[in-house]
Amino acid sequence: MKPKIAFNWKKMIEHKLFFPFVALAIILLFDLIFIPGFFRLQTKEGHLYGNLVDILRNGSTVMLLALGMTLVIATGGVDLSVGAVMAIAASVAAILMNPVIIGMKLPPDLMKFINDPNFTYAPLWQVITVTLIVATFCGMWNGLLVAYVKIQPMVATLILMIAGRGIAQLITNGVRIQIFYEPYAFLGSGWLILPFSLYIVALVFLLASLLTRKTAIGLFIESVGVNARSSFFSGIDEKKIKLLAYTFCGFCAGVAGLVASSNIRTSDANNIGLNYELDAILAVVIGGTLMAGGRFSLLASLIGALVMQATTTSMYAFGVPANAVLAIKGVVVILVILLYSEQVRSFIRRFTAPKEARS
Amino acid sequence: MADSSYIVEMHGIHKIFPGVQALSGVDLFIAPGEIHALVGENGAGKSTLIKVLTGVEKPDAGKILLDGAEIAVKSPLHAQELGISTVYQEINLCPNLTVAENILIGHEPRNRWGSIQWKAMNAHAQQALQRLDIAIDVAQPLGTYSVAIQQMVAIARALEISSARVLILDEPTSSLDAHETAQLFQVMRKLKDAGVAIIFITHFLDQVYAVTDRITVLRNGTLVGTYETATLTRLDLIAKMIGRSLTELDEMSKIKRESQKHIHGDVLLQAKGLGLTGAIAPFDLELHAGEVLGVAGLLGSGRTEITHLLFGVDRPDSGSLALAQKEVKRYSPLASIGRGVALCPEDRKAAGIVDDLTVRENIILALQASRGWFKYLGLPQQYEIADRYIALLNIATPSADQPVKNLSGGNQQKVILARWLATNPQVLILDEPTRGIDVGAKAEIQKLVLSLAEEGKACVFISSELEEVLRTSHRIVVLRDREKITEFSSDVGEHTIMQAIAGSEA
């Protein structure tokens, strides 16, 4: 019996999901000990509420971003513009539903519907489709700059990071548009037993998994990330792979923008997705994907995003003032990265090895 | 030791890297005021020896003497303090800083309050360059000058900062044209007259004969010998660099004679006037089914450049290439795979293996690339292919799921071979497939090449080891200075080919 257990230990430690799970478990353990009632779940009208559900719900935008960011980082790049793309997406969606700029010229009989929770200028499916197309094009723009113009990823995506919020403001003519349309608000703040945004995360995760693991795309992304030249010599079109990764990342940012704007019911070009690109990058790093590119795990990135969100939620529940939370997040990130270091790994290996020897 | 007329003595240097004996018992003696060539093919141990001398690597055994006293070089910085300076192939200066700043960076003349005295600095730099007979405006950014001048500035810095008495030039001429090279040689002779000892590493034999006094030849990490340049003929030098042994020769030539019968006339690949300016002069080449075509020539003679044109890595700017009578229009590795061409590149680490991926993934990579994104080979099929080639090529790995970086060099090479065999190529180009792998694996790969030819495939076989080329090839193309010189049938002797490689003054 014993050797088998030791063997499983070893396998578990080598597994990609092990460390993200350990990090998450440590945070939840902290909650269990220091915050009474943290794990309490309530049901209201058949829906689940509680801190754990909050972590999932508030983490959903970063989870969405992390999915796209994982592919980009796996190719050896990075996308700093996802937060700005979220803002663009929010502006596009808002103006399609509530074209106040055009609305000024609308006849008064239509104007009175502007605040009606059932009024939308364009139907919901159009809002979602057009928004996602715009966001996907934003991603494609990044991909073109990185893969074909060969600008360094950080610089290339910095362009849209800076310009994006300006574009978002241009779209709405500088106005923060209120969103009243209820069906749209359901995307980010609705519940179907669990928060509806989680189903969106699951859907995008499924899509990304199918895209990367049921086709050769995942293998090619990893190959390009590990050694672009060898991949080129093997006949892999490195440029197309990079273009695809950035395009998909833009798409994910678009979905995240829809969720975020429907949650706060406004298109706030200055604040939607602000600093989210950094959270998404950290989520991917916590998920164990190297910034240099190579092997990636979408699930591990999702858990990475949850580690980030669990920290924030726990701190709030613990009563840490909002402005100190960022500093504590920083400490958690340092601890997690230390946990990943080769020293700690070999320490754990040494810790498990004698067991094998003894049995 | 007092009688030592040498400035640097290296005795019995051993260096072992994981799995490789990089140097075994190498001696090197450098006299003051001499230009000493250090030659050998890739992997001979030249750069390791230099790294030991400059403190980048610690020797596992052996001792280094400077002026007759034993020293332990701790770091490159320490080497500089001892008066041993290195100018590397790729210039590590800052092109955006001025020439003067580059020469004196970290040693700027300062006034009492610590600010830099620019006038004194420029004057000082000017002086330093004057020693090399170079008059340029030292206040200009370095990047505005030619590569040759930049190289001189690097030399000036080496002399100025460490008052170097031993100067190591690591392939300084590889990016210089003929005129610039001549300029560099002038500087080298001037330094020599001033008593500086120069270790000159180069692949160009013309240059060895143009400036050096003595030559030390290394091969496979061992010392072949040190010779007076004036008394060593070019042919002898090449023979010493390439080396020859008679192992397995008989068996190989038997297989080859057998396979010679299988050559039928079909032309699989035809190049007419194919060339790329700066890489390889226009050449004609024909490759028949069932044939192994050897390519002989020293490093830098254009061997790799030819493979890059044939495989579509580079686009030619003259001539045409046809495969099975069909003119090639699209030049890319992917298009070449589609045409049934495969290339095992020379640089296994940089262009061959994808080291974090598993053996299985590495093996199916090119096949999958040719199938595109969506016709994904299922896992069972991937394992089937991987296991087949692991067995066929005798790849030593615990499983197909082992990351390929954990394999030895020879087995990595076999994985790359497997990757290409899996695409079922008609034309297989092998650029140095046996470099850095042990004798047993070498013989296996040579046999494999011959058996592939027997199946009616065509192979291009490139190696710096002439005997290997002779043993495996039916026909041999000789390259020199990025030009196709001539073609031989493999019946001609080693001597004839060496003469062709060496060129005029043989």
Side-chain angles (χ1 to χ4, degrees):
Chain A
M1 260 328 260
K2 250 188 179 173
K4 206 179 169 192
I5 291 166
F7 180 69
N8 285 347
W9 249 108
K10 207 178 153 199
K11 268 220 144 163
M12 246 173 86
I13 290 167
E14 301 295 329
H15 198 278
K16 255 206 131 44
L17 293 177
F18 179 73
F19 280 94
F21 261 124
V22 167
L24 190 59
I26 291 173
I27 293 167
L28 293 179
L29 192 68
F30 171 89
D31 295 333
L32 184 68
I33 297 168
F34 294 101
I35 308 169
F38 188 84
F39 289 86
R40 198 174 299 143
L41 289 175
Q42 293 170 314
T43 45
K44 272 185 228 158
E45 298 157 24
H47 301 323
L48 275 175
Y49 292 90
N51 282 321
L52 289 184
V53 181
D54 275 353
I55 292 175
L56 291 171
R57 191 171 94 91
N58 295 333
S60 55
T61 32
V62 174
M63 285 200 270
L64 287 166
L65 294 178
L67 288 171
M69 190 68 79
T70 304
L71 301 193
V72 168
I73 289 181
T75 65
V78 71
D79 187 348
L80 295 180
S81 73
V82 287
V85 173
M86 280 174 72
I88 293 178
S91 290
V92 171
I95 198 125
L96 285 171
M97 284 182 289
N98 190 352
V100 278
I101 316 304
I102 312 161
M104 301 297 180
K105 296 161 201 157
L106 282 181
D109 58 312
L110 260 180
M111 269 305 280
K112 69 180 176 210
F113 287 115
I114 274 298
N115 291 357
D116 190 315
N118 292 316
F119 173 80
T120 177
Y121 188 75
L124 188 61
W125 70 269
Q126 275 184 14
V127 173
I128 293 174
T129 314
V130 172
T131 305
L132 291 183
I133 288 174
V134 170
T136 306
F137 267 108
C138 289
M140 198 183 276
W141 161 261
N142 284 329
L144 286 173
L145 288 186
V146 171
Y148 291 87
V149 189
K150 294 196 189 293
I151 303 177
Q152 286 170 358
M154 203 176 273
V155 179
T157 56
L158 199 58
I159 295 170
L160 194 57
M161 179 188 179
I162 292 164
R165 291 189 189 278
I167 295 170
Q169 298 217 12
L170 280 178
I171 292 171
T172 62
N173 208 5
V175 180
R176 265 175 54 178
I177 302 177
Q178 293 272 90
I179 295 166
F180 299 100
Y181 187 47
E182 270 309 314
Y184 181 79
F186 191 78
L187 292 177
S189 49
W191 298 69
L192 263 173
I193 301 172
L194 287 170
F196 186 70
S197 54
L198 281 183
Y199 299 102
I200 298 178
V201 173
L203 194 69
V204 176
F205 171 68
L206 196 70
L207 181 70
S209 302
L210 288 178
L211 189 69
T212 53
R213 296 305 178 200
K214 289 293 159 191
T215 70
I217 291 169
L219 173 67
F220 289 170
I221 287 177
E222 288 178 337
S223 179
V224 166
V226 174
N227 189 335
R229 190 158 171 80
S230 290
S231 308
F232 171 67
F233 270 77
S234 302
I236 295 169
D237 193 336
E238 166 207 353
K239 292 175 186 164
K240 267 193 209 150
I241 283 289
K242 283 189 176 162
L243 182 64
L244 177 81
Y246 284 90
T247 307
F248 183 73
C249 190
F251 170 81
C252 290
V255 180
L258 288 176
V259 170
S261 63
S262 89
N263 197 21
I264 61 169
R265 297 175 182 236
T266 171
S267 76
D268 186 348
N270 285 319
N271 290 312
I272 280 189
L274 193 65
N275 294 340
Y276 273 36
E277 57 279 340
L278 302 180
D279 279 5
I281 292 168
L282 277 174
V284 175
V285 171
I286 292 172
T289 305
L290 295 178
M291 288 299 287
R295 291 286 193 197
F296 69 88
S297 160
L298 291 167
L299 194 56
S301 294
L302 287 187
I303 295 166
L306 287 179
V307 169
M308 305 284 297
Q309 189 57 49
T311 314
T312 313
T313 305
S314 309
M315 289 303 115
Y316 283 139
F318 193 58
V320 175
N323 26 12
V325 165
L326 284 178
I328 290 176
K329 236 169 149 181
V331 173
V332 170
V333 170
I334 293 174
L335 290 178
V336 170
I337 302 302
L338 278 180
L339 196 64
Y340 282 22
S341 66
E342 197 46 47
Q343 283 90 335
V344 173
R345 272 172 198 240
S346 62
F347 178 79
I348 295 176
R349 256 181 239 128
R350 239 180 300 152
F351 180 73
T352 51
K355 259 189 184 168
E356 267 178 297
R358 255 180 275 140
S359 50
Chain B
M1 302 238 174
D3 72 323
S4 157
S5 58
Y6 294 113
I7 180 164
V8 171
E9 293 173 48
M10 299 178 82
H11 291 277
I13 303 292
H14 283 265
K15 179 72 199 174
I16 298 168
F17 290 120
V20 192
Q21 174 102 31
L23 291 173
S24 49
V26 173
D27 303 328
L28 182 67
F29 300 95
I30 308 290
E34 78 164 336
I35 301 179
H36 195 115
L38 188 58
V39 299
E41 286 287 296
N42 267 354
K46 293 174 308 219
S47 49
T48 311
L49 189 64
I50 293 307
K51 280 179 184 161
V52 167
L53 180 58
T54 54
V56 180
E57 302 280 357
K58 302 255 169 307
D60 294 319
K63 57 181 179 177
I64 304 172
L65 275 59
L66 185 69
D67 290 328
E70 187 163 349
I71 54 165
V73 190
K74 295 190 203 82
S75 68
L77 195 66
H78 185 217
Q80 280 188 13
E81 284 162 12
L82 292 167
I84 303 170
S85 270
T86 315
V87 175
Y88 292 98
Q89 185 175 2
E90 60 292 346
I91 301 162
N92 34 12
L93 298 176
C94 314
N96 51 335
L97 298 185
T98 69
V99 172
E101 284 172 314
N102 267 297
I103 293 178
L104 291 165
I105 197 163
H107 298 257
E108 303 90 346
R110 288 168 188 277
N111 64 15
R112 232 179 316 164
W113 295 283
S115 56
I116 295 171
Q117 295 173 303
W118 293 100
K119 271 192 185 156
M121 180 160 144
N122 286 347
H124 196 148
Q126 199 94 51
Q127 225 174 2
L129 285 171
Q130 229 130 53
R131 280 176 58 186
L132 308 179
D133 275 340
I134 296 166
I136 55 171
D137 183 0
V138 294
Q140 291 296 314
L142 180 72
T144 55
Y145 293 106
S146 71
V147 181
I149 293 289
Q150 294 187 27
Q151 200 99 49
M152 315 282 184
V153 171
I155 294 172
R157 174 177 165 79
L159 296 169
E160 202 54 37
I161 297 312
S162 60
S163 54
R165 294 183 304 143
V166 181
L167 184 63
I168 301 163
L169 301 177
D170 189 356
E171 302 225 23
T173 56
S174 54
S175 49
L176 303 187
D177 65 29
H179 173 71
E180 292 170 328
T181 306
Q183 216 177 343
L184 177 70
F185 286 173
Q186 245 170 17
V187 169
M188 286 168 67
R189 291 198 189 96
K190 203 168 157 61
L191 290 173
K192 171 189 161 175
D193 292 339
V196 177
I198 298 176
I199 302 176
F200 181 47
I201 302 173
T202 183
H203 279 112
F204 298 105
L205 295 191
D206 285 345
Q207 299 178 357
V208 169
Y209 281 95
V211 284
T212 66
D213 303 306
R214 292 194 305 152
I215 306 172
T216 291
V217 183
L218 299 182
R219 190 173 67 234
N220 292 333
T222 57
L223 176 73
V224 178
T226 298
Y227 311 92
E228 297 285 331
T229 308
T231 59
L232 185 70
T233 67
R234 203 175 274 238
L235 215 52
D236 284 343
L237 174 59
I238 291 171
K240 287 184 198 311
M241 281 168 64
I242 295 172
R244 36 187 141 186
S245 63
L246 296 167
T247 46
E248 297 204 34
L249 204 135
D250 293 339
E251 194 196 351
M252 279 303 195
S253 44
K254 214 190 311 170
I255 301 178
K256 196 171 82 183
R257 267 195 299 280
E258 278 299 303
S259 67
Q260 198 112 32
K261 293 176 199 151
H262 294 269
I263 303 179
H264 19 89
D266 299 9
V267 178
L268 277 185
L269 180 149
Q270 186 166 38
K272 276 188 190 146
L274 198 67
L276 176 62
T277 316
I280 182 91
F283 63 92
D284 297 331
L285 197 68
E286 252 180 31
L287 199 55
H288 304 262
E291 178 183 42
V292 181
L293 177 74
V295 176
L298 296 173
L299 195 93
S301 59
R303 303 182 310 207
T304 299
E305 287 75 4
I306 281 195
T307 67
H308 283 188
L309 285 185
L310 296 182
F311 189 58
V313 174
D314 295 323
R315 168 173 278 281
D317 57 9
S318 69
S320 67
L321 177 66
L323 268 136
Q325 326 293 352
K326 257 194 261 156
E327 166 111 27
V328 169
K329 297 237 162 56
R330 287 183 53 227
Y331 285 88
S332 79
L334 184 56
S336 295
I337 296 169
R339 292 190 284 266
V341 183
L343 166 68
C344 284
E346 178 192 25
D347 194 338
R348 181 167 63 223
K349 274 225 139 42
I353 61 164
V354 184
D355 60 4
D356 274 347
L357 297 190
T358 64
V359 171
R360 160 177 60 85
E361 288 167 322
N362 268 283
I363 288 178
I364 62 128
L365 202 56
L367 177 61
Q368 181 62 61
S370 68
R371 292 167 64 99
W373 290 1
F374 297 108
K375 278 199 238 157
Y376 189 45
L377 290 161
L379 272 186
Q381 219 180 335
Q382 292 188 18
Y383 278 111
E384 197 266 314
I385 294 169
D387 289 337
R388 177 149 40 98
Y389 284 102
I390 288 172
L392 180 73
L393 300 180
N394 227 340
I395 299 171
T397 173
S399 82
D401 286 325
Q402 190 75 2
V404 80
K405 64 180 166 194
N406 295 352
L407 270 55
S408 72
N411 283 303
Q412 290 181 358
Q413 187 67 55
K414 287 184 192 169
V415 168
I416 298 173
L417 262 172
R419 176 191 296 169
W420 291 115
L421 294 180
T423 65
N424 192 25
Q426 290 312 300
V427 177
L428 185 61
I429 306 166
L430 303 164
D431 194 356
E432 294 276 7
T434 61
R435 172 181 302 160
I437 67 179
D438 60 65
V439 181
K442 266 183 194 180
E444 276 179 58
I445 287 178
Q446 291 166 11
K447 270 183 222 164
L448 179 77
V449 168
L450 286 172
S451 66
L452 286 173
E454 225 166 322
E455 291 170 24
K457 299 182 194 306
C459 289
V460 177
F461 188 89
I462 300 174
S463 171
S464 354
E465 290 178 46
L466 187 53
E467 46 140 353
E468 192 178 66
V469 177
L470 274 169
R471 209 181 314 154
T472 37
S473 314
H474 301 119
R475 203 150 51 89
I476 294 169
V477 165
V478 176
L479 301 177
R480 186 185 349 119
D481 295 336
R482 301 178 184 273
E483 211 178 321
K484 180 181 165 187
I485 298 299
T486 178
E487 238 182 76
F488 293 111
S489 87
S490 66
D491 304 336
V492 301
E494 217 168 310
H495 188 80
T496 323
I497 293 173
M498 269 196 230
Q499 253 171 348
I501 293 174
S504 48
E505 296 165 46

